[in-house]
Amino acid sequence: MGFFNKAKLVINAFPFLSSKILTGNGHHRGIATASNAIRPAQTIFNKKFTCGFHYSSLYSSLNPSSIKSKLNYATAGTRRFYYVDRYQVKHFRQRGPQRWFQNPRTVFVVVVVSSGVLITVYYGNLETIPYTQRNHFVLLSREMERKIGEAQFQQLKASFKGKILPPLHPDSMQVKLIASDIINALQRGIGHERVWSDISYSNEEPALPSSSSRGSPNIVSALGGEELKVDEQWPREDEILDDKWVQESRKAGKARGSQPATQHLEGLNWEVIVVDEPVVNAFCLPGGKIVVFTGLINHFRTDAELATIIGHEVGHAIARHSAEGITKNMWFAILQLVLLQFIYMPDVVNAMSQLLLKLPFSRRMEIEADHIGVLLIAAAGYDPRVAPKVYEKLGQIAGDSSLKDYLSTHPSGKTRAKLLAQSEVMEEALAIYRERLLGHGIEGFL
């Protein structure tokens, strides 16, 4: 009985002790009602809103679950929709994730960094073309351009295996001697001490010339005394292109003291092959690989005529037109993608880019190669006055038309002949040619 009475006294003492704990000193306030609990929570909420303080673990443990959920909801809303700057000014935040272009500071940083990168890349890959002094932007490195040219040359030799004339063939020897004269003239034209290698004929298995590509009855042979006549007065209505930009570019280049870029010509392994095919064509791949087809030799038998065409093709290699064309095509592709976002007509966009961008750029490069080539053949000892006649003759073979200056990668033969006959480059070429006949070497003319 005594034990029962003692236990009853202990149980009755628990409410008294709990009330003392909850209503003790000022460090712990009682939570008797929900209204009393809201006041400290509101005070803490205001502190969080203005100063960024976190809730005390004591208050979070004493609050009921319903009040705590409300406070968490309010706090989450504050973190999501508000922020306080250094001046204690409250700002709204947009709902959802904020995109980078919606932040002015981020946009400014992106614009500045992008502009710096673009300017560095542009001026770091800007080169000056010899003679014309035109600045062009080339992304392709010199080493990569040379590797591409050598790979294309190997593929071409594999595809024409059995049709490449042997080194001792008369056509092969003629082309090799002309190419050697032009390469030596190029060395003098640059006017610097550089590492050069003698031009060689690519070693291939001997191939007998086919009867279909030799001795064509339509050949216009200059050896027989027949000479293509070019009119002294050119019709003005046929003048589609001009070369005034060449002289303007040269003046601007001299004014700014530009130095022509010729590093891509250092240490080239020059090679030449003659392919027994009835194709009126010749080209020079990057890396010093010259290819001439017998169809061209059939129409142009004299050394001066062949030198004009080979000098033109070497002019493309000097000006790095292949690398520039690859860079331009990349920009044209990007521009086409942008236009397709507004004009969803792929055929129309492709036709516009061809007519307004690619073809005019290609024709301008041909004129530039004509100017460089005529200087090379003059320095090599070939009469530059033959060049206009060669281009006129090429136009007749290819079939010139009134639309060729607009719809072709090359200007018409008549236009090219006219520009060379009347341009200042012919005067310079004749001066170099006279000095060459006198035995004087002109250095640095490119």
Side-chain angles (χ1 to χ4, degrees), residues 433-440:
Y433 179 61
R434 286 193 293 266
E435 293 294 327
R436 182 70 172 82
L437 292 180
L438 296 174
H440 302 156

Side-chain angles (χ1 to χ4, degrees), residues 145-413:
E145 180 188 20
R146 186 176 301 185
K147 290 180 180 179
I148 291 175
E150 292 176 352
Q152 291 178 345
F153 188 62
Q154 296 300 326
Q155 293 176 0
L156 188 143
K157 289 194 297 183
S159 61
F160 288 110
K161 187 175 182 180
K163 295 184 178 181
I164 300 177
L165 299 183
L168 296 181
H169 192 278
D171 290 343
S172 301
M173 296 181 65
Q174 181 186 18
V175 172
K176 179 184 176 181
L177 291 175
I178 294 172
S180 298
D181 293 338
I182 292 175
I183 299 306
N184 291 331
L186 173 60
Q187 181 181 7
R188 294 191 300 270
I190 295 175
H192 298 286
E193 293 294 334
R194 300 193 181 277
V195 180
W196 294 84
S197 61
D198 294 334
I199 192 166
S200 62
Y201 196 86
S202 180
N203 294 326
E204 290 291 332
E205 295 180 359
L208 296 177
S210 60
S211 58
S212 60
S213 63
R214 309 298 295 168
S216 175
N218 296 325
I219 295 176
V220 181
S221 177
L223 294 177
E226 183 180 354
E227 186 178 273
L228 181 68
K229 296 185 181 299
V230 181
D231 296 335
E232 295 296 333
Q233 299 296 328
W234 297 90
R236 298 294 297 176
E237 60 270 13
D238 291 339
E239 187 172 355
I240 305 299
L241 302 172
D242 63 76
D243 59 351
K244 295 180 180 178
W245 61 271
V246 175
Q247 301 303 325
E248 294 175 357
S249 178
R250 294 185 65 192
K251 292 179 181 178
K254 291 180 180 180
R256 62 174 177 267
S258 300
Q259 294 296 326
T262 57
Q263 293 83 358
H264 59 286
L265 301 173
E266 296 181 7
L268 294 183
N269 182 23
W270 290 91
E271 293 182 83
V272 60
I273 60 174
V274 178
V275 181
D276 187 23
E277 282 287 329
V279 180
V280 185
N281 192 20
F283 52 86
C284 180
L285 296 172
K289 313 302 179 183
I290 301 173
V291 181
V292 180
F293 294 89
T294 55
L296 182 71
I297 301 176
N298 289 336
H299 288 82
F300 301 95
R301 296 299 306 180
T302 65
D303 291 348
E305 290 176 329
L306 288 176
T308 299
I309 298 174
I310 296 175
H312 167 85
E313 300 303 332
V314 174
H316 282 301
I318 295 173
R320 297 193 68 191
H321 284 162
S322 296
E324 185 179 5
I326 294 174
T327 305
K328 292 286 185 182
N329 289 333
M330 182 188 67
W331 292 118
F332 292 156
I334 295 175
L335 182 59
Q336 287 181 352
L337 292 176
V338 173
L339 291 177
L340 286 175
Q341 303 301 319
F342 302 96
I343 307 174
Y344 191 69
M345 300 170 65
D347 295 336
V348 175
V349 172
N350 186 42
M352 290 174 57
S353 63
Q354 285 284 341
L355 292 175
L356 302 179
L357 298 175
K358 292 184 179 181
L359 293 180
F361 167 70
S362 178
R363 291 191 291 264
R364 173 166 287 198
M365 288 196 300
E366 295 298 327
I367 294 176
E368 191 170 46
D370 289 346
H371 284 62
I372 297 175
V374 75
L375 294 177
L376 285 177
I377 65 173
Y382 300 99
D383 191 349
R385 291 171 293 184
V386 177
K389 303 176 183 180
V390 171
Y391 294 124
E392 178 83 3
K393 188 174 178 178
L394 275 175
Q396 294 178 358
I397 296 173
D400 279 347
S401 64
S402 58
L403 295 178
K404 191 173 181 64
D405 285 327
Y406 293 105
L407 304 178
S408 177
T409 57
H410 290 61
S412 65

